């Protein structure tokens, strides 16, 4: 599985029962998030205590579930991440404990090649 920068991550805004497996998470993607779990995008689910996260992604052959349990601390509030999706770099930073609401990103640049 290769997570490129072209892939977006979509965060579920409601707390999720971390006992859910692939089928339960896929149903949540379709019903609660209104998206297709087979799209190849990454779907992020956070437990009620915000110390556990599950990522669901489909590749050509099946689903992957990645699970992270923090031994200390909690993930920052995911509600501001829910909606239009975040870049993989932002997801990785958030999973590392960086509060994305306190950071800013450089604006994109329109560039052309002069030959």
């Amino acid at each position: 599985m290769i997570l490129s920068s072209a892939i977006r991550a979509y965060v579920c805004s409601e707390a999720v029962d971390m006992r859910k497996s692939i089928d339960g998470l896929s149903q949540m993607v379709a019903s609660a998030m209104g998206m297709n779990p087979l799209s190849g995008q990454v779907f992020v689910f956070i437990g009620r205590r915000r110390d556990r996260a599950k990522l669901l992604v489909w590749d050509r052959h099946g689903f992957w579930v990645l699970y992270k349990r923090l031994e200390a601390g909690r993930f920052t509030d995911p509600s501001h991440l829910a909606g239009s999706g975040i870049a993989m770099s932002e997801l990785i930073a958030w999973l590392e404990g960086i509060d994305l609401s306190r950071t800013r990103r450089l604006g994109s640049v329109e560039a052309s090649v002069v030959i």
Side-chain angles (χ1 to χ4, degrees), residues 8-48:
R8 305 277 302 161
Y10 296 91
V11 181
C12 183
S13 59
E14 60 188 70
V16 174
D17 182 351
M18 285 289 110
R19 295 175 293 180
K20 287 187 183 286
S21 62
I22 291 171
D23 295 330
L25 295 174
S26 296
Q27 288 176 347
M28 287 201 68
V29 169
S31 63
M33 300 172 80
M35 300 186 77
N36 180 1
L38 303 174
S39 66
Q41 304 303 320
V42 176
F43 300 98
V44 182
F45 304 92
I46 307 301
R48 188 173 338 281

Side-chain angles (χ1 to χ4, degrees), residues 45-87:
F45 304 92
I46 307 301
R48 188 173 338 281
R49 291 178 290 180
R50 292 198 339 238
D51 65 343
R52 294 158 196 225
K54 279 190 178 181
L55 282 64
L56 177 72
V57 64
W58 170 263
D59 70 10
R60 296 177 297 163
H61 307 289
F63 282 104
W64 287 83
V65 174
L66 292 92
Y67 181 75
K68 182 169 185 173
R69 181 186 71 197
L70 296 177
E71 295 300 322
R74 296 167 35 152
F75 292 111
T76 57
D77 186 11
S79 62
H80 70 279
L81 301 176
S84 62
I86 60 174

